[in-house]
Structure formats: C-alpha cells, structure tokens
C-alpha cells in the first residue's frame, strides 16, 4: 500500500491531464508531457509510475489509452464509488449538486440532515433524517462519507459514521477529527486555504510588474 | 518572507485551537497543548513559532491572549480582508453564503457571473456581470479572488483578474492555473481530495476491528 497522499493526488492529476491530451488527439505521451501538464519534473512522473509498476518504453513513451486504464484501476475509477454527504448547509448542498463528481465515477447516493424541514425523499439525491444514517451505511455497505456539519457536531458525526462502517471521510468542518488508524480522514478547511493565500499576498514583495498596475 | 504554505496552515490551526482553549478558560498554553490540539509534535510548534520570532517562557509557556494577537497579526487577521468570488455555480454560491469566512475577518464584497439572469445588485453580496470585474478590482483595490468557474473558463478568468490587480487566487476549478511568480494560486480540487480518500479506503488492509463490523 502506498501511503503518500501527495503521490495519489499526482496520479489523479496525471489521469486528468491524460484525458485532456486524448481530446487533443494524443495517442502516446512522454513523462515530459505529463510533467509539463501537472507542473512536476519528469523524474517525479517516472518515480510515481514505477511505484505502481507502470513502465514506459523509452523511445515510445506511454500509450494514452493503456496508461489511462492503469491509472483508473489504481484510483478505483473502474467502478462507481458510492458516497454519502452529512450536513446540508451551504457547502453540503453544493457538494450534493456538484456535477464534477459524476464524471469521476463518484456517486452521492444520499445526504443526511438533522433539520427535518430540509429532508426530502423526492430530490435527485434523497435527503434523509440523520437518525437513519447508521442503518443506511450498513445496508448499502457505504465506505466513504463527506462531513459538512458545523464544527461542534463534526466529531460525533464522524464517530457514528465510523461505527456504522465508514472507512474514509472527507471533512469540511473546520476542526481536526480524531479516528483510529484504520480510517482515513482528509480535512479540507476552506478558511485555512484562503488564509494562506491572504498571508502570501500580504507578505509578497511588490515587484515592478505588479507595482505598475 | 516565509514561503512554506504548510507552516502558514499550521499557524492558522494554532490560532483556531487557541480560540477554543480560551473559551475553555485557558490563560496560558504550552507548546505541548497546541501540539496535541493540532496533531503535530511540540518541537514543530516551537520551530514554527521561532520562524516568526515568537518565543515562550519555558516555565510559563505562552499567554493565550498575547499569542493570539501575534498570530492574528502574522496572518493578516488584524484587519478585514476583502475578497471577490467569480462564478456562481453550486460551489461559488455556497462560498458567497458561507458564514465561516466572516469570523475569520474575510469579507466577500462581490461576486461576478457570466449569466446575466443570475446577477442581482440587491443580494447581501451583490452578484455583478463579469464584465464589470476588472473595474471593480481596480476601484476597490481587491487583491484576493476565488475562482469557481468551469475549468474551460478558469485560465482566462485568472488572467483577467491578475491583469486588474489580483495577487492571490483560491482556485476551485479542476485545472492547474498558470501565473507569474508574483501571484499566488492555491488550488482546491474537490474531486482529487475525494479520490485520495477513495484510494486509501480501497487499498487499506482490513483489520480485525473493521472486519467485525
């Protein structure tokens, strides 16, 4: 098992770049092409691929179709991944409607919400009472969940999800969640991401090109 | 200038933890407390602080209020940061309404959208035609922008923003944007974040604790 998250994120980027190159008519690509598209060195591309036993032909590079298929298999994109969303605030609602997931073989099968007034079984993605979540997870063998509840409810929500069988969580609540080692939690904190942009803008030296604007 | 994004993200986490510890009645904290709260080593906490000239007292640790003030100044939280959002799809709309930014002194002052039917000057955050964006950026000296447009429009949007004076971008379009070195772009790709969770769940060995569920 490869435990480096950044490596997996790069594999996803290679896959997305391959898709774009294919639409441009590419049949073969070289590690340099992928390196340019993703913004890493070609050594990095070859190193990442070798970790997964993907080898190219020095003269011919990689065949786009074969490489795409291999990356899709590694990333679990050869089958649909069922995912639930918990918490139907602004972010949770946006994720439930987000069309970017579908083309990546990710299907949001249900959303769960504590406020009964927001629940509806008739929407494209059913919005169910949060009390039904454990049973739903067990019945449908759901392994992946997205947390978009307020920070004070996030740890309890995670505990319930994990207790019912969830093994991977994408967490949007602005708090670091605790879990056992056999569960993966990936925290996406929008405030922190924006704060780091603000910090760099405020501390960047003003160069001639920007000062003249 | 500190150029390590992860260090800045940790500073933001320390600041958020301090806020929670203060609500619990803490007056002083030790690097161990912050290390536990954020999930790093106490050596890391002290190293991060020393980079910014923050020193504690070995016996007394850090005073919560003084440390909070220092971190807020470093992170630019001693004043309101004006930010614009471009693209009012699901994610852009959620960000415009997101209440998490306000308490972090981040103010979304306007949103810009290509679809005239979605524009409105009467909403809490005005939704303006995208053609007005360059003038708005210049007039209001906006330095930070969020891109939430479809991937095919993202690079052009970034170029227009930067041309008008934007120096930092948080990009939600699933594409890596190119820019000159004096502009900071932080890419948040929701599909990739979820894909890495999926990968780890699919490859994790099943342990006894999860197999029994």
């Amino acid at each position: 098992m490869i435990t480096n998250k950044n490596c997996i994120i790069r594999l996803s980027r290679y896959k997305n770049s391959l898709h774009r190159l294919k639409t441009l008519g590419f049949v073969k690509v070289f590690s340099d092409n992928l390196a340019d598209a993703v913004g890493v060195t070609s050594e990095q591309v070859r190193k990442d691929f070798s970790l997964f036993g993907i080898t190219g032909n020095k003269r011919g590079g990689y065949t786009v179709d074969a490489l795409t298929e291999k990356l899709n298999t590694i990333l679990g994109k050869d089958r649909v991944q069922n995912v639930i969303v918990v918490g139907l605030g602004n972010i949770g609602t946006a994720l439930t409607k987000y069309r970017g997931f579908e083309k990546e073989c990710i299907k949001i099968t249900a959303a769960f919400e504590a406020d009964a007034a927001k629940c509806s079984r008739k929407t494209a993605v059913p919005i169910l009472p949060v009390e039904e979540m454990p049973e739903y997870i067990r019945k449908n063998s759901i392994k992946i969940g997205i947390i978009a509840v307020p920070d004070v409810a996030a740890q309890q929500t995670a505990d319930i999800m994990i207790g019912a069988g969830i093994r991977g969580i994408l967490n949007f609540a602005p708090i670091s969640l605790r879990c056992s080692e056999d569960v993966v939690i990936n925290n996406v904190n929008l405030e922190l991401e924006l704060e780091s942009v603000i910090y760099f803008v405020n501390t960047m030296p003003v160069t001639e090109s920007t000062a003249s604007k």
Side-chain angles (χ1 to χ4, degrees), chain A residues 79 92 165 210:
Chain A
R79 58 194 180 283
T210 47

Side-chain angles (χ1 to χ4, degrees), chain A residues 18 27-29 60-68:
Chain A
L18 275 175
V27 176
K28 286 183 178 181
V29 287
Y62 307 87
T63 311
V64 171
D65 284 338
L67 185 55
T68 301

Side-chain angles (χ1 to χ4, degrees), chain A residues 127-160:
Chain A
I127 303 166
L128 308 174
V130 74
E131 296 78 26
E132 296 183 15
M133 182 175 69
E135 198 195 334
Y136 184 94
I137 292 170
R138 282 194 197 94
K139 221 179 211 169
N140 298 283
S141 303
I142 304 288
K143 298 291 172 212
I144 323 266
I146 299 176
I147 291 183
V149 300
D151 55 356
V152 290
Q155 184 65 55
Q156 197 196 355
T157 301
D159 293 343
I160 294 171

Side-chain angles (χ1 to χ4, degrees), chain A residues 41-112:
Chain A
T41 63
S42 56
E43 287 76 27
Q44 180 76 68
V45 175
R46 289 192 294 272
K47 194 180 158 196
D48 288 338
F49 285 175
S50 75
L51 276 175
F52 292 90
I54 299 174
T55 49
N57 177 325
K58 268 197 182 174
R59 285 172 60 210
Y62 307 87
T63 311
V64 171
D65 284 338
L67 185 55
T68 301
E69 202 182 314
K70 277 182 188 164
L71 291 176
N72 280 342
T73 306
I74 293 167
L75 295 166
K77 312 212 84 51
D78 48 346
R79 58 194 180 283
V80 174
Q81 303 287 340
N82 293 330
V83 176
I84 59 166
V85 171
V86 192
L88 267 279
N90 294 319
I91 298 293
T93 304
L95 293 171
T96 305
K97 294 178 183 170
Y98 189 51
R99 281 167 298 186
F101 290 144
E102 209 169 312
K103 67 172 167 43
E104 297 300 333
C105 284
I106 294 166
K107 189 180 178 194
I108 310 280
T109 61
F112 295 91

